[in-house]
Amino acid sequence: MDFTYDDEQVALRDAVRGLVGKAYADFEQRRRTVADDPGFSEKVWAQLAEMGLLGLPFAEEDGGVGAGPVEIGIVAQELGRVLAPEPYLTSVVLAGGLVSAAGTPEQRAEVLGALSAGERVLAFAHDEEGSRWSSAATAVTATRDGDTWTLSGVKEPVPHGARADLLVVSAALPDGGTGLFLVDPAGAERTGYRTYDGGRAARVVLESTPATPLGAPGQDLESTIATVQDIGRIMAGHEALGAMEVALAATTSYLTSRKQFGVTLNTFQALTFRAADMYVSLELAASLVQWATMVLATGDAARTADAAARAALQVSRASRHVGQEAIQLHGGIAMTAEYSVGSFAAHLSALDHLLGDGQFQLSTLAARVADHRALDPLETSVG
Amino acid sequence: MQLELSPEDQAFREEMREFFTTKFPQEIRDAVIAGRELTKEQHVESQQTLNAAGLAVPHWPEEWGGRGWSDLQRHLWTEEMQAAAVPVPLAFNANMIGPVLAQFGSQELKERFLPPTANLDIWWSQGFSEPDAGSDLASLRTTAVRDGDDFVVNGQKTWTTLGQYGDWIFTLVRTDPDVKKQAGISMLLIDMTTPGVEVRPIELIDGGHEVNEVWFTDVRVPADLLVGELNSGWTIAKFLLGNERVGVAPVGTTKRVLAQAKEYAGAQLDDPFTRARFVELENELLALELTALRVVAHSEGAEPHPASSVLKLKGTEIQQAVSELVLDLAGPAGLASGDGSGVPEWARHAAPTYLNLRKASIYGGSNEIQRQIIARTILGL
């Protein structure tokens, strides 16, 4: 049992912090970056690729680095600290993760090699009207004609769907189940727009759009999607931890500098106690996310699903608490787009809703609550 | 980062689990599970069973019965003990006066008191709080005035937990009224059978007599029962209150009660709202347990992990919330708390336990004090 980073992991953290910390040293830079399409910095994306971070999760034979979940979590957390708008979570962890998990060796080498090199941005087109974080697809359907596959239907919102060079699309298979397809976006109609946290998403309309099955044609990949979503939940947790750390630090700093009634705000105990409670929320969430990351490293999908849901529930609760209190304790300044702290709350909310919010996780876990007598984080299997 | 325990720690954990679940008096464990108040004899038998196995004071210096365990092993020992419904060694003896005497006591005091303290041959009470000195402990007013070979003690202590069983009381007294309030305090060991010591029970909202007032009227205490230097009591008190990094959040006990509550719930567990309530509490408890593990895994020989201040605050909140859940599960049956009642024993104890545990966020530095510590020392506010 050990919750500390080793020397290499600390070096990785410092290197990522150095890179993105410089790129987004002042919040104004992030504002300028998200103001223009594609909503992130192609230059920073290339730098992330040069540092090997875009290929971090993928096997070396696929052009990646072959690092583990702890390292990917470190990157996500550092990006979260500066609200880096680069699509690491959606392009690398989700879309890349699916190619890594389901692709043929040729697909993996081609797609992940280009992704790792920063030459190709991927998007995972999965959400559909009315679907709430399901691992299945229903509204977009796949049709087979011999060896040729086409997709029809609407995917929305697709994070970074307008900028993406390649779409990984989920679709209902003719014989049941959910398949995954690689789609050249040239064959789709894409309408891009801004999301409330400064990100980008798109409406993607497919009409008999040519598609290449990811992995073996016709294979039901719903459980693969579910596992990659679980990985995404844990990594989104890391991103949220980074954002919460900084939102709390900004709040404590503000409380010690802002004066009202002739004294600094930390003179008022009602305010300092609320900041203390923010710290409690953050620490408890950090413990669960770190644990879930270690569970993920064991490679056990069932345990990971449970741990991901638990981490996501705790992070959802903490994100809302920390985000909301950060705004309230700052007062009106936090409502302005020029000041950073409101953007942290916005991004925390977006992360919360990307892969399943607290109520969704609670509902999932509640269905299984009678299956075990007590939870034991040290046992090798969930009872 | 590493999820599993080392093979050595895993073996240690299993050894503890085996002892607590197979070599410990079952009737005492049953009493704990049922939520019954333990008798003095049960407390003593429990601690003496542990002491005979070398498990009562493993965190003491090795020459006085300590085992030289790591913080993680101490954590596992506590958790397994609580999970098995074994009463933890009496805190006043094992966690408070024992380590204090080992650190500050003269050789004579150590030899005289440490072995019987470990074995609960002497039952210690804590004489710190006073009516006007609770969280603001330094405001205490009980005086000790030197007179020949004795101190003469006058004053009143309160909230003396289980003081009715006490043989001796370790007491903070004011020995110099003319200096800064923290500077004039000393620690005295007082035999509770000395003339002038009077213990008066305080009736509590749960119907029990767990705490007492202790009055001192011209009590003569031999001066060699002073612990450490004269007027060094504040240093000793800070050591006593600050050296407990392990076991401040009763995770093991709360986990056991929450697991038992699923059995109490019966068909109520079909209700989605009840299920959701269990999940929320389980998740918070899991997060707390992992935080405790982070703290013990980190704090080996180093400064305490900052997150350690979260443990008492959140640990007691969850403990209270679980007692509230159990009370709600009992529902109307919880009203049947009297002796002649035929409702299940857990339901009869549900309300007294719920009421009794309101104390948890008050004692040991109230949760407001914990928030102040977090705000000041961690967040710099």
Side-chain angles (χ1 to χ4, degrees), chain B residues 58-337:
Chain B
H59 48 296
W60 287 13
E62 289 186 55
E63 66 171 311
W64 299 109
R67 302 288 296 273
W69 288 345
S70 67
D71 281 353
L72 177 59
Q73 286 174 319
R74 283 179 57 193
H75 171 84
L76 295 171
W77 162 70
T78 310
E79 292 299 302
E80 290 301 323
M81 195 156 39
Q82 294 180 1
V86 168
V88 296
L90 192 68
F92 312 109
N93 286 44
N95 300 343
M96 297 180 182
I97 193 61
V100 160
L101 287 175
Q103 176 79 14
F104 298 97
S106 63
Q107 187 63 22
E108 197 186 334
L109 286 182
K110 289 177 190 173
E111 286 171 10
R112 177 174 170 191
F113 285 111
L114 284 176
T117 296
N119 205 45
L120 200 44
D121 297 325
I122 294 175
W123 185 296
W124 285 97
S125 290
Q126 182 189 30
F128 280 18
S129 293
E130 297 187 8
D132 289 323
S135 289
D136 180 17
L137 185 58
S139 296
L140 62 89
R141 289 198 295 235
T142 296
T143 57
V145 177
R146 187 69 185 251
D147 180 27
D149 290 338
D150 296 337
F151 285 100
V152 178
V153 178
N154 280 284
Q156 180 198 353
K157 294 291 176 181
T158 192
W159 309 129
T160 309
T161 304
L162 301 178
Q164 66 269 37
Y165 302 147
D167 301 307
W168 284 73
I169 183 165
F170 53 94
T171 314
L172 289 179
V173 290
R174 186 157 303 284
T175 38
D176 186 345
D178 300 325
V179 292
K180 190 172 155 245
K181 61 183 185 176
Q182 282 86 357
I185 294 171
S186 300
M187 181 183 276
L188 276 184
L189 309 179
I190 302 177
D191 181 341
M192 292 176 78
T193 62
T194 315
V197 178
E198 190 194 345
V199 178
R200 298 180 195 166
I202 301 172
E203 191 176 349
L204 295 182
I205 54 173
D206 63 350
H209 287 123
E210 189 179 55
V211 293
N212 303 268
E213 293 177 340
V214 181
W215 295 74
F216 300 95
T217 312
D218 294 330
V219 176
R220 298 196 75 86
V221 180
D224 61 2
L225 291 170
L226 178 75
V227 181
E229 302 294 315
L230 189 69
N231 297 326
S232 68
W234 191 247
T235 307
I236 297 173
K238 278 198 297 182
F239 169 86
L240 184 156
L241 297 169
N243 71 352
E244 209 34 45
R245 298 207 293 245
V246 177
V248 291
V251 176
T253 300
T254 307
K255 248 170 98 166
R256 174 172 49 73
V257 175
L258 189 59
Q260 283 167 211
K262 286 186 187 173
E263 292 163 26
Y264 304 156
Q268 290 185 69
L269 207 52
D270 298 335
D271 169 25
F273 292 102
T274 304
R275 285 171 174 267
R277 209 166 152 193
F278 270 98
V279 170
E280 295 269 18
L281 287 170
E282 257 179 5
N283 226 53
E284 292 260 286
L285 197 51
L286 177 66
L288 183 73
E289 180 173 7
L290 290 162
T291 305
L293 282 165
R294 269 171 73 202
V295 169
V296 295
H298 173 90
S299 64
E300 208 58 60
E303 285 290 297
H305 191 291
S308 60
S309 29
V310 168
L311 300 179
K312 198 270 171 178
L313 174 60
K314 201 70 197 179
T316 52
E317 283 184 0
I318 300 173
Q319 186 183 25
Q320 291 175 332
V322 168
S323 76
E324 195 177 345
L325 170 64
V326 171
L327 178 61
D328 290 343
L329 291 171
L335 288 168
S337 57

Side-chain angles (χ1 to χ4, degrees), chain A residues 314-359:
Chain A
Q314 200 72 20
V315 168
S316 175
R317 298 284 186 261
S319 292
R320 292 181 187 208
H321 178 209
V322 172
Q324 291 167 8
E325 288 288 77
I327 293 176
Q328 181 67 24
L329 295 182
H330 273 85
I333 184 76
M335 297 299 293
T336 67
E338 277 172 40
Y339 190 80
S340 69
V341 85
S343 298
F344 279 89
H347 187 57
L348 285 168
S349 179
L351 282 172
D352 189 26
H353 288 110
L354 184 65
L355 291 160
D357 64 10
Q359 181 168 323

